[in-house]
Amino acid sequence: MSLSCFDPRFGERMLSVDEALSVLGESLAGVMRTPRSERVALAQAPGRVLAETVISPLDVPAQTNAAMDGIALARASLPDAASGEPLSDRGELSDHCELSVIGSSLAGHPWTGRALAAGEAMRITTGAALPAGADTVVMQEQLEYRSAQGEGEGLGEGLIESEAGERVVIEGVTSIRRGQNVRQAGEDIARGSQVMAPGQWLTPAAVGVLASLGLAEIAVYRPLTVAVFSTGDEVTAPGETLPAGGIYDANRFSLVALLRDQGIEVLDLGILSDDEASVTAALRDAATRADMVITSGGVSVGEADHVRSALAACGELALWRIAMRPGRPLAFGMLRAIPADAESSSGQVPFFGLPGNPVATMVTFLQFVLPALRLLSGQQRLAMVEAKDEASASATTLAQWQAPRLQLIAGETLRSRAERVDYHRGQIVLDDQGRQVVMTTGRQGSGILTSMLLAECLIEIPAGCATLHAGEPVMVQWLGSRGIV
């Protein structure tokens, strides 16, 4: 967007959600720096952001191995019905054959003897290295073992260790394919291949992959620090006596929990006195200690308090109206800071002033603040956004760091206003046909915080759509891992 995000003309009209995401992305990209990194033990890595390129030092699996218990053999040792050759002495097709067993290969104790010759097999357990000369594993359930004395064991039975002179009868020979039940060395990860890139969010699965490479520690970006505060004479801390006309400080506790769920270090400034001097001092202090500052309420156009004037004394502030519900008012600013580390700080600290209604606070956090935190923390994009023109192709929009959308079926008629985006709180239920559909959680007012307690997703009704009928497709944002809850 050509205008500065602090241009007063932004406050003269309603911004679309996409416009707000684009302007915020460009503004933040102009001040961000590569986060500092540190090395941590792998056990401490979940929920952190990878700060290095990971190249595999080995094949995974490290050797070709058996996918199940049974015998290892060369498929060429087995008769082939497709050849048309007789498989029995009477010239009839037979579906079993007998091989000699020369030893065992166990998980952690591979066979170290000679290679298998034609007509030979080897007992093998799941995960054990395939012996030289073998290319196929036949599962235990197709086997009957016979000792040197001719005594037999039933199908699927038998000791792990082989005996001298032991033989095995294989049933279902014609169904056996070369290479079956075999895991090739490097089939998951090849030695020298790139496994992960910087910016990878380290999920349990990612940590498991790193462990499979033998890595005991890893480089991660240091977590961001975010300062959070509340203001207002009516705001009361939980545990204190609620005065007449007062409200408990639900928003600050919701925001602190949201931030910590994302691995953010929180600087909780509590409830600030509702006077300009104390707010100004708190903001200046936070700007030197935090990577972002967040508050809720008290900064909307027309509200009479001291937050806006304090912000003006510490930096720049923009007041926007966004075409969305809940969450129309949004304040964004840049606080001036004296950077402790010039290489990792631009001297400007982003500020977000979120709406005061509790649901609006959480929804605007998800749409704008959480993507901003992902961008600033060095995380990879979660979704690619199609560029509408050449100018926007190189622009940074926070939409690329929003939670990906899923398409579901509306289980009820949903209404909105065509000029805005509506975010209804939704639950997944089964309809009378057994299909998964999405329904609202009930009353959808901006102050109904229990609607977020019940929500599994946000139902997104796009601008230009006044009504979505039951049975029609609808996009949702899932409130699961890395979302709100």
Side-chain angles (χ1 to χ4, degrees):
M1 185 161 301
S2 58
L3 294 177
S4 162
C5 66
F6 299 110
D7 193 298
R9 283 173 287 178
F10 271 124
E12 296 173 1
R13 65 178 179 86
M14 199 82 74
L15 293 177
S16 71
V17 173
D18 287 342
E19 284 179 315
L21 288 167
S22 294
V23 174
L24 285 171
E26 292 177 20
S27 300
L28 293 170
V31 301
M32 69 175 295
R33 297 291 185 270
T34 301
R36 291 173 294 176
S37 65
E38 60 185 355
R39 298 194 70 81
V40 298
L42 194 59
Q44 306 303 317
R48 303 292 296 271
V49 180
L50 185 66
E52 64 178 317
T53 300
V54 177
I55 303 297
S56 179
L58 73 166
D59 286 330
V60 179
Q63 61 275 318
T64 299
N65 66 86
M68 59 177 55
D69 294 347
I71 60 167
L73 49 79
R75 178 62 182 83
S77 292
L78 302 178
D80 189 352
S83 67
E85 297 179 358
L87 302 183
S88 72
D89 294 338
R90 294 178 296 174
E92 299 173 348
L93 293 179
S94 174
D95 205 23
H96 68 273
C97 73
E98 187 173 321
L99 302 177
S100 62
V101 180
I102 68 166
S104 301
S105 181
L106 311 179
H109 301 279
W111 172 255
T112 57
R114 64 176 176 82
L116 290 179
E120 294 179 334
M122 180 171 296
R123 288 186 183 246
I124 195 165
T125 59
T126 303
L130 216 64
D135 58 21
T136 302
V137 172
V138 181
M139 63 182 179
Q140 196 80 359
E141 289 75 10
Q142 290 180 251
L143 309 176
E144 180 180 355
Y145 295 97
R146 294 178 179 174
S147 68
Q149 292 74 32
E151 298 173 350
E153 299 166 354
L155 292 178
E157 299 177 1
L159 301 172
I160 295 299
E161 295 289 350
S162 64
E163 300 176 354
E166 183 181 38
R167 300 185 67 79
V168 62
V169 177
I170 305 171
E171 298 290 346
V173 169
T174 54
S175 68
I176 297 172
R177 305 181 314 278
R178 182 179 182 274
Q180 72 176 34
N181 303 324
V182 172
R183 296 183 289 218
Q184 299 295 326
E187 72 174 21
D188 185 7
I189 303 171
R191 180 194 299 267
S193 64
Q194 179 174 316
V195 182
M196 298 180 197
Q200 170 79 46
W201 176 268
L202 294 178
T203 62
V207 172
V209 169
L210 294 172
S212 75
L213 303 178
L215 302 178
E217 62 177 26
I218 198 74
V220 295
Y221 292 128
R222 293 186 180 180
L224 299 177
T225 298
V226 175
V228 181
F229 70 92
S230 299
T231 63
D233 293 335
E234 77 283 9
V235 180
T236 305
E240 297 182 2
T241 301
L242 191 66
I247 58 172
Y248 281 120
D249 190 7
N251 285 355
R252 179 166 55 92
F253 281 81
S254 294
L255 289 170
V256 168
L258 289 167
L259 291 164
R260 287 179 175 157
D261 186 59
Q262 296 296 317
I264 302 296
E265 294 185 353
V266 178
L267 179 60
D268 189 350
L269 302 181
I271 303 171
L272 302 184
S273 301
D274 200 8
D275 66 86
E276 183 176 345
S278 64
V279 174
T280 300
L283 287 175
R284 284 177 173 161
D285 177 58
T288 64
R289 301 165 58 194
D291 301 293
M292 181 185 290
V293 180
I294 304 174
T295 190
S296 63
V299 291
S300 299
V301 176
E303 292 196 57
D305 64 60
H306 304 291
V307 177
R308 294 197 311 277
S309 56
L311 283 165
C314 299
E316 291 183 283
L317 178 68
L319 301 174
W320 297 344
R321 293 179 301 149
I322 301 176
M324 62 181 288
R325 190 185 70 165
R328 183 175 66 173
L330 179 73
F332 173 71
M334 288 290 181
L335 303 175
R336 291 186 295 272
I338 302 173
D341 184 346
E343 293 184 0
S344 61
S345 173
S346 65
Q348 292 183 295
V349 176
F351 169 88
F352 281 94
L354 306 182
N357 284 319
V359 178
T361 296
M362 297 186 80
V363 170
T364 50
F365 179 93
L366 178 65
Q367 303 308 314
F368 303 112
V369 181
L370 182 53
L373 290 169
R374 288 171 173 156
L375 169 66
L376 295 174
S377 66
Q379 290 185 43
Q380 296 171 350
R381 293 172 173 82
L382 300 184
M384 297 306 297
V385 178
E386 184 177 353
K388 298 178 180 178
D389 51 50
E390 185 175 346
S392 61
S394 59
T396 300
T397 170
L398 288 188
Q400 296 170 316
W401 282 267
Q402 283 187 311
R405 269 69 167 173
L406 304 175
Q407 187 178 77
L408 296 176
I409 300 297
E412 62 180 305
T413 297
L414 305 169
R415 304 190 186 281
S416 178
R417 292 182 182 176
E419 69 273 11
R420 71 186 182 202
V421 178
D422 246 316
Y423 298 96
H424 291 196
R425 279 69 73 202
Q427 289 178 313
I428 310 301
V429 300
L430 294 178
D431 66 7
D432 54 8
Q433 301 177 46
R435 301 178 304 173
Q436 283 191 330
V437 299
V438 62
M439 306 276 289
T440 63
T441 57
R443 291 183 297 166
Q444 296 293 298
S446 296
I448 308 297
L449 188 53
T450 52
S451 69
M452 291 300 301
L453 175 65
L454 299 172
E456 296 174 308
C457 62
L458 292 181
I459 306 170
E460 186 176 297
I461 305 176
C465 178
T467 304
L468 273 170
H469 297 284
E472 292 184 338
V474 62
M475 302 304 291
V476 304
Q477 291 183 21
W478 193 254
L479 303 184
S481 176
R482 304 186 62 195
I484 277 192
V485 295

